[in-house]
Amino acid sequence: MQSHQQPTAPLSRVVRTEADAATNVGRLAATVDRLSEEIRRAQRAAEGRALIEVAKGILVERLQCGPTAAAQQLATLAEQADLTQLELAADIINQAARDRISQTARDFLDAMRPERSPREVADVAVRLRSAEIGMLAATESQAVAQSLLEHALAPLGATGVAIWAAGPDASLTLVGHAGFSAAEAGRWRYVPPGVATPAHCALIERDAVWTRALSEVGLPSIGMREAPDGGRVTVPAGTGGRILGVLEIGWPTPLEPQPPQVIKQVEALADLCAHTLELPADPGGTPGLAELTNLADALPDAALVLTPHLDGDGDLADFRISHINPRFVDPAGRPAGVVSGALMLEAYPLAADEGGLFSVIERVHATGEPFIADHMTITALVDQVPLDNIATVSVTRHGEGVLLIWRLQDESARLASLLQHAQRLGRIGAFEENALTREIIWSSQLYALHGLEPGQPPIPLEQLADYAHPDDADAIGRFLRKLLYHRLPDSTTFRLQRPDGIARHIRVVADPVLSPDGRLLAIRGAFQDISSQHWTEVALAATRDQLAHSEQQAAERNRLALQLQRAIMPPTRGPIEAFDLNIAVRYRPAEHEHLVGGDWYDATILPSKQILLSVGDVAGHGIEAATGMVVLRNALRGLAATGASPSQMLGWLNLVAHHLTENVTATAICALYDPHTRVLRWARAGHLPPILIRGDEAVEMDMIGGVLLGAVSEADYDEGQVQLEQGDIILMYTDGLIERRDRDLHHSQEQLLRTATRHTSTLEHRLDYLLTHSNSDTDDDTCLVGIQLR
């Protein structure tokens, strides 16, 4: 039989085909890049031509000449000033505009002269004016963000821009971004009100917020995953006193303090953003004002509709009281017509006090965040005398208008309510006993205090001893003699025997009311139930004795634990040199003695000429943790003499922790270094892995398996190894070096890796640097062991 095979292409042809395809893809990518760059150059050229054309128009108006003569004049002036036509055009526009951008350029020139050349100063004006032209030409906020980043912010080192639009409820919506990925922008398209972010802080504080690094403030924001330690600035953007949005700018690295000239540039760019976010004006008037007026008229409390009143520069100067509802009550008692139509500070000038009502209205109008207060002071002038009124106040923004609602509290009703509240809280009842008619008046709280019904007759003072404990009769007698005979104020305490059988400790205070000729007219006073105070004092005395005994015992235990810990591990220890290794150890005890813990370290040369290295952390504090540390540390030294591997030693040490101690659990790392092979073998029991520093890079060693000591009766431990090279450094540490309450452990580990790469002259200096720059805040013990191969 003959076999028939399909003809196949030669291998060389297949290889050439794949190579040609790869070459074509590369050519296509290069073409795309070239065309994109040409588009960008064309855009920049168009923006530059736009600036030059604006400058020509200014020269035409000033010189009363034609476009051709203006162009020739611009070229001549640029040559004489040794500037490009674009730089001179930006300067001409600044002189004519007299706006925020021109002021920023002038400040930059004043601050930098003579260090900066005119060309460097002109570059600032060109960048800001180019950004303005790009923003005006943009049809959407996304293009505005791109123009800002490209023209104005990239030269300052920024790599990301986000433009947030502020909602009426102080929420934030991402309307434009540049330098951030589409996926990241999608996650941050909307920030609800009340969520703390750098942009929200700028909105609420109504001021720029400069942040050195996002990781230092702990607030989430767009792009934080890509650059957690990058700098960030958020600037509110608004007009006419109302914040329309926030401009957020990101840097890839920590942001150092910026000079005032850069700060003013950023603020000028925020002003440009405000104009792009500004809503179009309604020809019919303020948006929603009619609806807001109808809403105010339907409310049961006094309501005022306020609209912003701007000065000649377009800044907020005051609020116009555009409408008041029928239930309006003026704190100064004036007719409603006097207030309606007036400016807020004209009608209520004392509202301008710091933190007063005007500041609240201004903040609500700027940010949209509503304000509600149950008790707020509204001060009005009555015959040029300040009069304070307590009111329930609500302030909300609706479009461009602000709705102010208040409910003034009646003074007598308010005082009566406060008095009843105070008597109820203090368990106090008042009384008055007429000395002439024998009429007795009790407050309602006094009936409840004595265990009587409101309709029952009150108890006269002269019969008070009949309702008290017999042992208190003498004290009551002395109280009555001083009050009724000597007619002087007095007080006493006694045990009241109530009809329901309950005994209460009572304090009575009384004051005689005398006529002008000295006759006794009445007795006024109050009874107070002090039973809780009495029994608290009794319990406190007993507890104080017990606490003193407990404190003495605790102090003794802490002293013993501290002595034991310092005897085993002194806080300082000199460097160790063993074969080809430099070994350094550091121990930092807790600042408070009652937090004495069970951290340990060890570095010793074994009879086999191998070097044992270990760190560990016993759970808990006090004498139990310290004694547990001694047991495990000494046991590990003994186990090392057997010649076993690190994983085997941890398996045996787990048996010791589980069976030979009382509920001791611990984490640990055990390592053996062989000077002949320069191999470090190690195992871990629930502990953070060591750090390997090689050259300029610091990495965590593999997270091999191993449960903490004492958790289970039997456990197997994995073992890892690393071949050390000359100059390599191994660091082993306990969690007291990095642990913080306000962030997760993973973030702290990353921070430690960055800190560990800092170059130092010796291994000991590196360990000291790590301890000094440790950002932990748990006040826990810290052990640190480092080895370096010479």
Side-chain angles (χ1 to χ4, degrees):
M1 295 180 63
Q2 294 183 350
S3 61
H4 298 278
Q5 296 181 351
Q6 295 290 334
T8 59
L11 179 61
S12 61
R13 182 180 300 171
V14 175
V15 173
R16 283 198 303 273
T17 302
E18 294 178 352
D20 292 342
T23 302
N24 290 336
V25 172
R27 290 171 179 169
L28 180 60
T31 301
V32 172
D33 292 340
R34 178 176 56 80
L35 293 176
S36 299
E37 180 60 28
E38 289 179 1
I39 292 174
R40 285 192 290 270
R41 285 199 300 268
Q43 289 174 343
R44 287 194 291 270
E47 291 162 357
R49 286 195 299 272
L51 285 177
I52 292 175
E53 292 302 322
V54 172
K56 288 180 182 178
I58 294 174
L59 291 178
V60 167
E61 188 274 332
R62 289 187 174 181
L63 301 178
Q64 299 296 313
C65 63
T68 302
Q72 294 175 350
Q73 185 70 20
L74 180 66
T76 302
L77 293 174
E79 183 178 357
Q80 292 175 353
D82 192 24
L83 297 173
T84 66
Q85 291 191 33
L86 179 61
E87 292 168 342
L88 182 60
D91 186 51
I92 292 174
I93 295 172
N94 283 341
Q95 293 181 16
R98 300 293 181 180
D99 57 0
R100 184 70 172 270
I101 294 179
S102 59
Q103 182 62 43
T104 300
R106 286 196 299 273
D107 293 343
F108 187 82
L109 176 63
D110 295 339
M112 294 303 180
R113 189 183 288 129
E115 291 80 2
R116 299 283 187 180
S117 67
R119 184 175 299 278
E120 291 177 295
V121 176
D123 181 62
V124 175
V126 171
R127 287 194 284 107
L128 293 176
R129 289 300 176 187
S130 297
E132 182 182 27
I133 292 295
M135 292 170 66
L136 293 176
T139 57
E140 57 179 7
S141 297
Q142 184 67 22
V144 170
Q146 294 283 357
S147 178
L148 280 177
L149 181 60
E150 178 180 355
H151 294 291
L153 295 173
L156 299 179
T159 56
V161 174
I163 300 177
W164 304 92
D169 55 353
S171 63
L172 293 171
T173 302
L174 185 64
V175 296
H177 65 91
F180 301 113
S181 65
E184 183 71 1
R187 283 191 290 267
W188 285 92
R189 61 183 181 276
Y190 176 73
V191 179
V195 176
T197 65
H200 185 264
C201 291
L203 173 65
I204 298 304
E205 296 175 10
R206 295 180 291 161
D207 198 3
V209 178
W210 291 77
T211 303
R212 181 180 180 276
L214 283 175
S215 58
E216 295 179 358
V217 297
L219 295 179
S221 188
I222 184 173
M224 63 179 300
R225 299 183 179 182
E226 302 166 1
D229 293 323
R232 194 61 59 97
V233 59
T234 49
V235 189
T239 58
R242 178 179 176 182
I243 299 176
L244 304 174
V246 177
L247 172 64
E248 183 166 1
I249 309 168
W251 280 260
T253 58
L255 182 63
E256 300 303 326
Q258 298 295 303
Q261 295 75 31
V262 174
I263 295 175
K264 290 186 176 182
Q265 290 183 49
V266 172
E267 292 174 348
L269 294 175
D271 281 353
L272 294 178
C273 285
H275 293 294
T276 65
L277 294 169
E278 192 170 10
L279 298 176
D282 182 2
T286 304
L289 185 58
E291 293 82 356
L292 188 56
T293 299
N294 294 334
L295 174 62
D297 289 341
L299 294 174
D301 296 316
L304 302 86
V305 175
L306 310 176
T307 53
H309 175 72
L310 307 182
D311 59 16
D313 296 329
D315 297 326
L316 179 69
D318 204 339
F319 289 92
R320 177 78 62 184
I321 304 177
S322 301
H323 178 74
I324 57 176
N325 70 351
R327 281 155 294 282
F328 173 77
V329 176
D330 181 51
R334 295 169 296 184
V338 176
V339 177
S340 181
L343 293 176
M344 186 70 184
L345 292 181
E346 291 178 356
Y348 303 102
L350 298 183
D353 291 344
E354 184 177 357
L357 182 60
F358 187 83
S359 298
V360 170
I361 298 171
E362 187 179 22
R363 183 170 65 252
V364 172
H365 172 258
T367 66
E369 186 177 39
F371 173 83
I372 299 176
D374 290 333
H375 295 82
M376 185 174 185
T377 302
I378 300 178
T379 304
L381 286 175
V382 179
D383 296 331
Q384 302 302 315
V385 177
L387 177 64
D388 290 340
N389 295 267
I390 305 300
T392 300
V393 176
S394 170
V395 186
T396 53
R397 188 181 74 188
H398 303 267
E400 286 295 324
V402 176
L403 180 62
L404 169 61
I405 306 171
W406 66 44
R407 181 188 300 166
L408 301 179
Q409 297 184 5
D410 181 71
E411 185 70 16
S412 59
R414 182 167 60 90
L415 291 177
S417 176
L418 288 175
L419 180 59
Q420 292 181 1
H421 186 63
Q423 289 180 349
R424 184 172 63 256
L425 291 179
R427 302 180 66 85
I428 298 174
F431 71 92
E432 179 179 289
E433 188 170 327
N434 193 308
L436 303 178
T437 64
R438 302 299 178 180
E439 180 185 7
I440 301 175
I441 301 175
W442 273 12
S443 66
S444 58
Q445 289 81 7
L446 204 54
Y447 285 95
L449 190 149
H450 283 79
L452 301 176
E453 295 295 331
Q456 294 182 269
I459 301 174
L461 287 177
E462 294 181 345
Q463 301 178 16
L464 195 59
D466 298 337
Y467 297 86
H469 191 280
D471 294 343
D472 297 331
D474 291 340
I476 293 176
R478 289 192 295 271
F479 165 73
L480 293 177
R481 281 195 298 274
K482 188 172 183 179
L483 185 65
L484 301 176
Y485 180 73
H486 296 287
R487 300 176 182 177
L488 295 175
D490 198 13
S491 64
T492 189
T493 58
F494 64 95
R495 285 162 288 181
L496 176 66
Q497 302 286 353
R498 299 193 346 171
D500 54 10
I502 298 176
R504 309 297 295 177
H505 288 263
I506 301 297
R507 174 181 176 83
V508 57
V509 180
D511 191 12
V513 179
L514 305 177
S515 65
D517 57 359
R519 292 183 300 125
L520 180 64
L521 301 179
I523 303 292
R524 293 173 181 168
F527 289 86
Q528 182 180 15
D529 187 346
I530 59 171
S531 302
S532 298
Q533 177 184 347
H534 171 79
W535 292 115
T536 299
E537 292 175 353
V538 172
L540 184 60
T543 303
R544 191 180 294 114
D545 294 340
Q546 184 177 1
L547 182 60
H549 180 69
S550 299
E551 287 179 345
Q552 183 178 2
Q553 287 184 324
E556 184 65 21
R557 289 168 61 85
N558 290 336
R559 185 183 63 82
L560 292 175
L562 191 60
Q563 288 179 346
L564 177 62
Q565 188 184 58
R566 290 176 176 173
I568 299 300
M569 290 183 304
T572 58
R573 181 174 177 180
I576 304 171
E577 294 186 1
F579 303 106
D580 53 355
L581 279 187
N582 287 333
I583 306 174
V585 295
R586 289 292 183 271
Y587 172 69
R588 181 178 64 190
E591 294 183 8
H592 300 287
E593 293 186 358
H594 70 277
L595 294 178
V596 172
D599 291 20
W600 90 81
Y601 65 85
D602 203 359
T604 185
I605 303 175
L606 301 175
S608 62
K609 304 306 180 184
Q610 297 191 81
I611 300 173
L612 171 68
L613 303 166
S614 67
V615 293
D617 184 0
V618 175
H621 298 87
I623 190 68
E624 292 82 4
T627 54
M629 173 268 291
V630 174
V631 170
L632 296 183
R633 183 174 183 269
N634 291 340
L636 185 57
R637 276 198 171 190
L639 294 172
T642 64
S645 65
S647 58
Q648 182 62 65
M649 282 190 283
L650 285 185
W652 290 336
L653 194 62
N654 178 67
L655 293 174
V656 174
H658 189 79
H659 295 288
L660 302 183
T661 61
E662 295 184 0
N663 300 322
V664 168
T665 57
T667 64
I669 287 182
C670 176
L672 286 176
Y673 173 73
D674 189 339
H676 300 294
T677 63
R678 293 189 170 185
V679 172
L680 179 76
R681 294 181 297 153
W682 66 284
R684 58 178 288 275
H687 204 86
L688 298 172
I691 293 176
L692 169 62
I693 304 175
R694 179 169 290 171
D696 295 330
E697 186 178 4
V699 296
E700 280 190 346
M701 297 172 68
D702 294 337
M703 185 73 76
I704 59 177
V707 300
L708 76 163
L709 301 173
V712 295
S713 58
E714 294 185 6
D716 294 326
Y717 294 89
D718 295 340
E719 188 170 301
Q721 67 177 26
V722 58
Q723 178 71 54
L724 296 185
E725 301 176 3
Q726 184 177 2
D728 282 357
I729 297 175
I730 299 290
L731 299 176
M732 295 184 290
Y733 60 96
T734 57
D735 57 7
L737 182 67
I738 63 173
E739 202 170 33
R740 290 186 61 85
R741 299 183 181 91
D742 59 350
R743 64 185 62 174
D744 56 43
L745 195 60
H746 175 70
H747 186 280
S748 298
Q749 288 174 284
E750 292 179 347
Q751 181 69 29
L752 176 62
L753 290 176
R754 289 191 292 269
T755 307
T757 57
R758 177 182 174 87
H759 291 285
T760 56
S761 57
T762 65
L763 178 62
E764 287 209 322
H765 289 165
R766 188 181 294 267
L767 267 57
D768 291 335
Y769 181 82
L770 289 174
L771 285 177
T772 301
H773 292 79
S774 167
N775 61 353
S776 62
D777 61 359
T778 56
D779 192 23
D780 199 1
D781 290 8
T782 300
C783 290
L784 184 57
V785 175
I787 64 172
Q788 184 175 24
L789 185 61
R790 294 197 296 268

